[in-house]
Amino acid sequence: MTSRRTPPFGRALCAMITPFTDEGLLDLDGAQRLADRLVSEGCDGLVLSGTTGESPTTTDAEKSALVRAVADAVGDRAAIVAGIGTADTRHTAELALEAEKAGADGLLVVTPYYSRPPQDAVEAHFRTIADASGLPLALYDIPGRTGTRIEPETMLRLAGHPRIVAVKDCAYDLLGTQKVLAATELAYYTGCDEYVLAMYAIGGAGYISTVANVTPRHFRSILDAFDDGDPDEAVRLQQLTIPLTELMMASGLPGSVTAKALLGALGLPSGPVRAPLRPAGRDAVDGLLTAYERLVAASAGV
């Protein structure tokens, strides 16, 4: 329907949870089974060790092992993007090299958090990471969690780096996003499930979705309908996701908690969350299941 940038990691990406065993250990077999399901049901790429993947509580060795296992499971059927962002530039650069060695196809790097660096330091941080490996890099702009925005003017400067190719956008600033889209070749992926169609309609590359852990086929169908020249159907499909997205992403529980709760209730690989996160209660799980079942019923045939 409209021309757009070629997305470097595909259009439909899932911010995959990190499955653990009942004892809280990394479940590589479960990760491989979940990754295979996600790719088989429409995901072009998998983002590992992001916020949804509980990266703050997984070790460097676990992150590398996860990339290797998932890459083995999906082969060349999907892009593997490794979340490597930390608050420490040197540590993040080390993780970039380890992800490259483990077989990642790209990197997701969040703004350094807690220390709240000024924009020149933010820019220097991302340039250092982009220079640390040969992998393409997506900037992760989520000021609500990090405390620091990647300002549009900083994005414009960083877009000139040959390995900075994409943005995961959770800034809730469509005006700023459009300024960068209009002036650069950066591929914008929304990280906010309620913005999947909105971002795509203004020239975004697609999405990196948490809710897609449980509904990968449905979220891809939104983009497919738009590309097929049926924006009304794309709107309908997006609107069907609202109840589940609200419960998973805006109920006061982190997306990693709700995604694992629903995956577990469906008998899919998930396992417990690691402290300080706590599992969803029974009422929350029941609500998630009801919303999921209604979405499945409403989108039958998609």
Side-chain angles (χ1 to χ4, degrees):
M1 185 172 187
T2 181
S3 62
R4 62 181 68 249
R5 297 158 178 81
T6 301
F9 309 117
R11 301 177 304 153
L13 279 69
C14 177
M16 197 177 100
I17 60 115
T18 300
F20 298 132
T21 66
D22 291 341
E23 296 73 30
L25 302 176
L26 184 62
D27 180 5
L28 293 179
D29 177 69
Q32 289 183 317
R33 288 186 286 118
L34 179 61
D36 180 72
R37 173 185 179 269
L38 291 170
V39 173
S40 297
E41 295 198 9
C43 292
D44 299 319
L46 303 172
V47 176
L48 307 179
S49 298
T51 309
T52 303
E54 298 179 76
S55 59
T57 55
T58 56
T59 67
D60 293 358
E62 287 175 326
K63 290 178 173 66
S64 293
L66 184 64
V67 170
R68 290 190 181 93
V70 171
D72 285 345
V74 304
D76 61 2
R77 293 183 295 149
I80 304 298
V81 181
I84 61 164
T86 76
D88 177 354
T89 301
R90 181 173 59 181
H91 186 198
T92 306
E94 292 169 353
L95 289 176
L97 286 172
E98 291 304 312
E100 185 174 29
K101 292 176 185 175
D105 300 301
L107 305 172
L108 178 68
V109 186
V110 74
T111 318
Y113 39 84
Y114 189 76
S115 57
R116 302 187 70 176
Q119 289 298 298
D120 61 338
V122 169
E123 181 178 349
H125 172 82
F126 285 125
R127 289 188 182 278
T128 297
I129 308 311
D131 289 337
S133 81
L135 295 179
L137 186 150
L139 310 175
Y140 187 5
D141 190 16
I142 183 166
R145 287 183 181 268
T146 65
T148 303
R149 176 81 190 276
I150 311 174
E151 296 292 345
E153 292 74 17
T154 305
M155 291 281 194
L156 292 173
R157 293 191 297 270
L158 287 168
H161 194 290
R163 281 188 294 280
I164 296 176
V165 300
V167 177
K168 180 181 178 182
D169 186 4
C170 292
Y172 289 97
D173 175 16
L174 284 180
L175 178 59
T177 293
Q178 289 178 87
K179 287 171 62 177
V180 180
L181 277 171
T184 75
E185 292 300 313
L186 289 173
Y188 262 73
Y189 294 91
T190 184
C192 307
D193 291 82
E194 67 273 29
Y195 275 10
V196 165
L197 180 56
M199 180 68 77
Y200 202 58
I202 62 170
Y207 57 77
I208 299 174
S209 167
T210 293
V211 182
N213 275 280
V214 291
T215 58
R217 192 179 302 278
H218 184 93
F219 271 85
R220 185 184 183 95
S221 72
I222 298 170
L223 305 187
D224 289 343
F226 189 85
D227 284 344
D228 289 342
D230 193 348
D232 290 341
E233 176 65 1
V235 169
R236 185 186 77 84
L237 293 169
Q238 174 76 67
Q239 291 177 346
L240 287 177
T241 69
I242 292 171
L244 181 60
T245 295
E246 185 172 22
L247 285 177
M248 287 187 68
M249 307 303 295
S251 66
L253 293 174
S256 50
V257 172
T258 55
K260 280 194 163 182
L262 186 47
L263 286 168
L266 295 172
L268 295 167
S270 57
V273 290
R274 284 183 175 171
L277 297 180
R278 302 183 68 183
R282 185 69 256 172
D283 288 347
V285 175
D286 289 344
L288 289 164
L289 270 172
T290 297
Y292 170 80
E293 290 166 354
R294 287 175 177 168
L295 175 59
V296 170
S299 58
V302 169

